[in-house]
Amino acid sequence: MSVLTSPPKSPVGTPVSNSLTAGKLPRFTAVWVLIGCIAVMSLVFAMIAVAGGTDFNIVASVFFGVVAYVVVIWVLSRAVEGSRKAADRFVTALVATAFTIALLPLISVAWTTVVNGLPRFDIQFFSESMRNVVGPGGGALHAIVGTLLITGMATLISVPVGLLTAIYLVEYGRGRLKHAITFFVDVMTGIPSIVAGLFAFALFALLFDDPGIRFGFGGSVALSVLMIPVVVRSSEEMLKLVPNELREASYALGVPKWLTILKVVLPTSIAGIITGVMISIARVIGETAPLLIIAGFTTSMNYNLFSERMMTLPVFVYTQYANQGADTQAYIDRAWAGALTLILIVALLNVIARVVAKVFSPKAGR
């Protein structure tokens, strides 16, 4: 006797619609609905801008367009595909909305910086300092050099200390000392940047008995205080991801622990460690308060980290905007160009990090 049964019938004799027998929206319906909602909201905000005599707000148009997309796609899916598929599309749309909300400020800031920074993004800006410049002209060469030198020295200080600390916590640390180091690293992660600047200033003022000391190496020390906990945390997590089987296989061959770490553990996790280092650099390269305290302010070139004041790009942007002269627009243009340069430096460092990580990461076997 057959066990197959016909679909359930409604009281009037027609099959009951469910998730297996419901219809299906065309393949690219979600994309076209999203585009349509954004277009409609853009038209609405354009009309509001014309009526009110204000500028068109593209960020608000995209935001409310995505919100409208969540509602519209859920209604369409529920009407055509049923409640289960509609719930799936609704959650997917919510994830897309959350991603858009997180991405909008980043795109808005980047676009604003590019538009306002391009007018002074010229050869003069990268080949001249601000020495004896009180109006238009001048450049940020002294600030760019200072940023690279101070951040580079901070990296040289932070990476060995942070990496060795992470190796100790993962491979050797036990008991109270390990927990104490972890606790203090967590505390240092949330330390305000100005406290790091005050620490470096107080340290060198006491060492050199000079209450007015300002020099680039002090800025590097202040930034390293902020970098070290980030390097420790990111490197620790990457080292924990290395399978214990690799360590045990190395020990079984008679390889000592230190050589196992050097030849097996570090090469396996090098890509993640480099990424963590780049995150720490991006964390500190835009700091202003600690550098303003210990590195100081100057309009002249200075290549010596251990003598005299040294300018950095964050301080340059701040001073150009805060201390405007008679020609206000010239100062504002230089500030935006400095901000754009800082963003490009961070982007370039991230590209270099990805290339280095790809080169040194373990190759898959054939």
Side-chain angles (χ1 to χ4, degrees):
M1 185 176 70
S2 176
V3 297
L4 296 177
T5 59
S6 60
K9 302 285 186 176
S10 67
V12 295
T14 57
V16 176
S17 177
N18 53 46
S19 60
L20 298 178
T21 60
K24 187 176 181 180
L25 291 173
R27 182 178 179 183
F28 296 103
T29 299
V31 176
W32 289 113
V33 170
L34 177 61
I35 295 174
C37 290
I38 294 177
V40 170
M41 287 299 172
S42 299
L43 180 60
V44 171
F45 278 94
M47 295 172 62
I48 294 174
V50 172
T54 59
D55 294 332
F56 173 65
N57 194 334
I58 188 172
V59 174
S61 302
V62 174
F63 173 77
F64 286 103
V66 173
V67 173
Y69 158 75
V70 176
V71 178
V72 173
I73 195 65
W74 178 78
V75 172
L76 285 177
S77 181
R78 185 173 179 82
V80 177
E81 299 176 316
S83 59
R84 295 185 63 181
K85 185 64 177 178
D88 178 70
R89 287 189 180 272
F90 179 75
V91 174
T92 303
L94 284 180
V95 172
T97 302
F99 174 75
T100 304
I101 293 174
L103 201 60
L104 278 177
L106 175 62
I107 296 177
S108 178
V109 169
W111 176 254
T112 304
T113 305
V114 170
V115 171
N116 291 281
L118 284 178
R120 273 308 319 271
F121 205 73
D122 50 28
I123 297 178
Q124 185 183 20
F125 184 80
F126 294 97
S127 60
E128 297 182 6
S129 67
M130 288 298 295
R131 185 178 179 86
N132 299 326
V133 177
V134 294
L141 178 61
H142 61 309
I144 296 172
V145 171
T147 295
L148 296 178
L149 289 176
I150 290 177
T151 307
M153 179 58 70
T155 305
L156 290 178
I157 297 172
S158 304
V159 172
V161 174
L163 184 56
L164 291 175
T165 303
I167 291 174
Y168 172 79
L169 292 176
V170 175
E171 304 293 339
Y172 296 98
R174 297 291 184 275
R176 293 183 179 180
L177 180 58
K178 176 182 178 180
H179 293 304
I181 294 174
T182 302
F183 172 76
F184 284 113
V185 168
D186 291 338
V187 172
M188 289 179 63
T189 304
I191 189 173
S193 61
I194 195 169
V195 174
L198 291 172
F199 161 75
F201 177 78
L203 173 66
F204 289 107
L206 292 173
L207 289 177
F208 294 98
D209 194 21
D210 182 4
I213 189 170
R214 301 286 190 282
F215 65 128
F217 183 74
S220 298
V221 172
L223 295 185
S224 67
V225 173
L226 302 174
M227 287 182 66
I228 288 174
V230 181
V231 175
V232 172
R233 270 301 178 206
S234 59
S235 300
E236 182 183 3
E237 294 302 321
M238 291 301 106
L239 293 174
K240 287 180 179 178
L241 292 178
V242 178
N244 283 328
E245 289 78 4
L246 294 178
R247 297 180 176 90
E248 293 169 357
S250 179
Y251 298 152
L253 295 174
V255 180
K257 188 169 187 176
W258 69 270
L259 193 58
T260 298
I261 296 172
L262 189 64
K263 295 294 185 179
V264 177
V265 177
L266 288 179
T268 305
S269 58
I270 189 66
I273 291 174
I274 292 176
T275 302
V277 171
M278 297 313 304
I279 291 174
S280 67
I281 293 175
R283 158 77 171 84
V284 303
I285 198 171
E287 291 292 347
T288 305
L291 298 178
L292 194 58
I293 292 175
I294 183 61
F297 164 83
T298 181
T299 59
S300 303
M301 296 294 301
N302 181 14
Y303 298 97
N304 190 351
L305 280 168
F306 301 93
S307 176
E308 301 301 330
R309 299 168 182 261
M310 181 172 284
M311 192 64 156
T312 56
L313 273 173
V315 177
F316 174 82
V317 173
Y318 168 76
T319 53
Q320 288 295 308
Y321 188 81
N323 305 319
Q324 299 174 11
D327 191 345
T328 303
Q329 191 60 43
Y331 286 81
I332 294 177
D333 288 344
R334 283 194 293 262
W336 280 113
L340 178 59
T341 304
L342 197 58
I343 291 176
L344 292 178
I345 290 175
V346 174
L348 180 61
L349 289 175
N350 277 277
V351 172
I352 294 174
R354 290 181 179 274
V355 173
V356 172
K358 186 174 182 179
V359 170
F360 288 98
S361 60
K363 306 298 186 295
R366 294 184 178 180

